[in-house]
Amino acid sequence: MMGALGSGLIVGFEFWPRVERPNIALGVGETQFGGYIKLSTDGHIVVIVPQVEFGQAATTILPQIVADELVADWRSIGVEIAPVSAFYASTTFAASMGWQTMFGAPLALQITDEGAMLAGYAQPLRDAAAYLRIALVKAAARLWGVAPESCTTLEGFVHSGAKRTRFADLVGAIVLANPWDQTTAPPQRSDQESHLLGRSLPRLDAPAKIDGSANYAADIRLPDMVFACVRSAPFGSGDVAGFDGAAARRIPGAVDIFPLAEGLVCIGRTSWVAGQMANAAAPRFHAALPLPDSKSLQSRLDSALKSAGTTIINNGDNAGIKGNPGALDARYHVDLLLQPPLETGVATAHYIKGQLELWAASPAPDMALNAVARATGVSHDNIILHSVFGGGGFEQKLDPLVMTVAAQAALRLKRPVHVFRSRGEENSQSLNAGGAVSRMTGQALPDGRIIGWQAHIAAPPGAEVLRARITDNRAPR
């Protein structure tokens, strides 16, 4: 629960094309109502948020919708990150990227994306809260022998005249066997009745972040844990060709060193030792692909700019602008841009008695766990992911490499392994943003009015690269 934030429990499974009920863990005194809300006999209300908290306030914004519809006391609201389940998948993000279908059905993803968060989850959360509010009102009405229309909810209580009772006291009285018609949208409170929306409320993740009790991926510490760093070919361009293992093992505190498809893994008793081992090993890599450089990238962009391309918007007839007296013509270039999150790639894994546990912050957890299952051979039913705070997002967090390395190392050593990426390693593996060239042609009247404008833009296929990373965990280079 967040408020005194704890990590949600996420159980991985093969995502496509199954449809599952939410597999929510229940604490003492908690009762689940649908896939988004839990009520407890001690009065707290837990909202299940299908987004990982990377600092974008998902764990406050989405619970605020539920609390408003329920007319709950904000002080009673807690949060858990949703488990990996088709129940929490949304087609909104895929649609916003222009992705239509996969496996013959609309492409649905359980993915953390700030831009698609409200579009994908505001309505389901509000519906869930409305269903529960109606159930609470009906339960109280039966208890008091009054008409449900005479009952209202306010600050965590159901009221009818002088009578009132806490939500928590009605948990056992709610009829769970379809007390309402869920084939139609539940009646919701009007915007004029808004209780919390539009108000600035205390963030639920703030106290834990302020007092240091919040667990980020980099904070995980387990008994008998060792630390690993991984050195990979630049931009993932090849596998390990050779390394000086003897030099690495001479570093005091060295535990193990071995190559994987993801790169050279160096394990030490501390993170500093692991880093020193990687430096001493001086790994070499096969060049499966030519390394990109600024000159080759610029050449490809220039060639693309000269091609016919695809017309996105065509309004009016601007064909005659180029070459007209007074027409302006300019070329613009945007360099590649690193997107380094504050927290580099980090994951912890522990394998015990046939079960693999992972601690990480993944914006696409279902696809990350698929990658772990493929790399280890461990079935999805035996993989557990504890979702923790992420120290910043960006697309690099979609890379499952640290999770797959941690999982394979944990299986090899039979002890907890904490894998981290150095800042240099993170940058060398990053798929940079930007990298575009454009040619702008326009003509304006003396009074400043624009009478024609053409824009030709050449850029890498960012949406397709992102789709490949999410759906296959492989990106075209």
Side-chain angles (χ1 to χ4, degrees):
M1 192 176 100
M2 199 177 294
L5 180 86
S7 61
L9 181 67
I10 300 180
V11 180
F13 60 97
E14 191 66 41
F15 184 75
W16 304 104
R18 293 166 59 178
V19 176
E20 298 283 336
R21 294 180 60 83
N23 47 334
I24 299 170
L26 295 177
V28 177
E30 291 182 339
T31 301
Q32 173 184 339
F33 296 97
Y36 289 104
I37 306 173
K38 295 192 296 184
L39 291 186
S40 174
T41 52
D42 68 6
H44 73 257
I45 302 169
V46 177
V47 180
I48 311 300
V49 173
Q51 302 276 278
V52 175
E53 181 61 72
F54 284 104
Q56 80 278 29
T59 51
T60 295
I61 294 171
L62 295 180
Q64 190 171 355
I65 294 170
V66 171
D68 184 75
E69 184 62 40
L70 281 175
V71 200
D73 185 341
W74 184 246
R75 295 169 299 179
S76 70
I77 301 297
V79 175
E80 286 183 8
I81 305 302
V84 177
S85 170
F87 181 88
Y88 300 105
S90 169
T91 60
T92 304
F93 174 79
S96 71
M97 298 297 291
W99 305 339
Q100 301 306 317
T101 61
M102 178 170 284
F103 306 111
L107 178 55
L109 296 168
Q110 186 176 344
I111 188 166
T112 297
D113 176 70
E114 183 178 1
M117 177 176 68
L118 288 175
Y121 295 107
Q123 195 60 52
L125 282 163
R126 191 172 182 186
D127 286 346
Y131 281 129
L132 180 55
R133 178 174 48 79
I134 293 168
L136 289 166
V137 164
K138 287 185 176 181
R142 287 193 303 272
L143 181 66
W144 298 326
V146 301
E149 293 76 15
S150 71
C151 300
T152 59
T153 55
L154 180 64
E155 296 291 349
F157 288 82
V158 180
H159 295 257
S160 179
K163 299 181 176 66
R164 76 169 191 170
T165 187
R166 297 187 312 156
F167 291 171
D169 297 331
L170 294 169
V171 171
I174 296 177
V175 177
L176 300 181
N178 195 25
W180 53 81
D181 178 10
Q182 297 186 48
T183 62
T184 59
Q188 298 173 346
R189 300 168 65 249
S190 68
D191 292 341
Q192 287 72 31
E193 297 175 301
S194 179
H195 171 61
L196 293 174
L197 295 187
R199 288 178 51 188
S200 178
L201 298 173
R203 284 184 54 155
L204 297 181
D205 58 335
K209 290 179 175 178
I210 291 170
D211 67 21
S213 62
N215 273 331
Y216 288 84
D219 295 325
I220 301 301
R221 296 293 183 270
L222 301 174
D224 197 35
M225 189 171 77
V226 289
F227 296 80
C229 74
V230 56
R231 291 286 172 87
S232 305
F235 303 103
S237 61
D239 55 9
V240 179
F243 61 95
D244 190 342
R249 290 187 176 91
R250 285 195 293 269
I251 301 295
V255 174
D256 200 357
I257 180 170
F258 52 91
L260 291 175
E262 294 88 342
L264 182 65
V265 182
C266 300
I267 301 179
R269 297 191 182 280
T270 68
S271 58
W272 186 89
V273 169
Q276 292 302 302
M277 290 174 63
N279 292 336
R284 304 175 301 282
F285 302 94
H286 293 295
L289 295 170
L291 295 180
D293 56 44
S294 299
K295 185 177 180 179
S296 63
L297 175 63
Q298 188 60 57
S299 176
R300 293 177 67 179
L301 288 173
D302 287 340
S303 296
L305 191 64
K306 295 173 184 176
S307 66
T310 302
T311 300
I312 299 175
I313 298 175
N314 189 2
N315 187 6
D317 182 9
N318 295 321
I321 293 177
K322 192 173 180 179
N324 280 356
L328 299 175
D329 188 75
R331 182 182 182 280
Y332 298 89
H333 172 74
V334 178
D335 285 322
L336 292 174
L337 175 66
L338 278 174
Q339 292 185 307
L342 185 61
E343 179 188 50
T344 60
V346 185
T348 300
H350 185 30
Y351 184 75
I352 183 170
K353 296 181 179 178
Q355 189 171 75
L356 177 62
E357 286 190 79
L358 291 155
W359 288 260
S362 173
D366 49 328
M367 298 306 171
L369 292 188
N370 286 345
V372 169
R374 288 195 298 268
T376 61
V378 178
S379 71
H380 288 75
D381 291 336
N382 291 323
I383 302 176
I384 298 174
L385 172 62
H386 301 277
S387 184
V388 294
F389 277 134
F394 302 122
E395 290 180 20
Q396 191 65 13
K397 291 290 187 183
L398 291 168
D399 190 344
L401 182 144
V402 290
M403 293 176 65
T404 59
V405 169
Q408 292 174 87
L411 262 68
R412 177 184 173 102
L413 273 67
K414 301 299 187 294
R415 62 192 296 188
V417 179
H418 181 90
V419 176
F420 65 94
R421 267 179 162 172
S422 67
R423 179 62 65 189
E425 181 72 11
E426 183 94 348
N427 290 348
S428 76
Q429 301 300 314
S430 176
L431 289 183
N432 298 285
V437 62
S438 65
R439 185 163 188 173
M440 304 290 182
T441 305
Q443 190 163 15
L445 295 174
D447 61 5
R449 284 181 296 156
I450 298 174
I451 60 172
W453 175 51
Q454 287 182 338
H456 294 83
I457 303 172
E464 287 306 305
V465 170
L466 183 58
R467 175 174 176 157
R469 298 183 78 185
I470 292 173
T471 57
D472 299 323
N473 292 307
R474 293 187 299 271
R477 302 292 178 177

